[in-house]
Amino acid sequence: MDDLTYLFSAYFYEAWDEYEYGSWQDAVDDFACRSPDRVAGVVAALRAMLDEPLTDDQLDSNLRAQGCTFVSENGDRTWLVQVIERLQASPRAHRL
């Protein structure tokens, strides 16, 4: 399983916020803590995804196909940029 699919399917599955995490930030922090070797791959994959000329619907479909059920109030693009920034700031992650 690639790094991005792992993040989305293991940390943002259907009931992620009911059983494990109080916020998406908590989920991202836990991912960075538990899987620091995957952080660089996720950041690279997210950047590549954001560089693609996808409509908002296509981006949403792409995320859902990878197991992500999180819905951001500010839109997927904004959220993904925030995820990148949070991962890059993580002290536990391997330096990017």
Side-chain angles (χ1 to χ4, degrees), residues 2-96:
D2 68 63
D3 295 334
L4 192 56
T5 301
Y6 176 74
L7 169 65
F8 289 143
S9 65
Y11 289 83
F12 293 100
Y13 62 95
E14 189 172 316
W16 70 274
D17 57 341
E18 293 176 32
Y19 297 110
E20 294 194 52
Y21 304 106
S23 69
W24 69 262
Q25 293 93 335
D26 292 342
V28 170
D29 292 347
D30 191 41
F31 166 78
C33 181
R34 292 178 185 236
S35 302
D37 56 317
R38 290 182 178 257
V39 170
V42 166
V43 169
L46 288 175
R47 286 180 179 153
M49 184 185 298
L50 290 170
D51 285 344
E52 291 180 36
L54 300 173
T55 66
D56 290 342
D57 287 340
Q58 289 170 323
L59 181 58
D60 183 68
S61 293
N62 193 341
L63 294 174
R64 303 308 155 234
Q66 294 184 57
C68 182
T69 63
F70 178 75
V71 177
S72 172
E73 294 176 4
N74 298 320
D76 292 328
R77 289 180 201 284
T78 299
W79 177 62
L80 293 176
V81 169
Q82 292 171 329
V83 170
I84 290 169
E85 291 169 350
R86 190 154 193 103
L87 288 171
Q88 289 178 317
S90 174
R92 301 277 314 247
H94 291 215
R95 288 294 118 207
L96 307 175

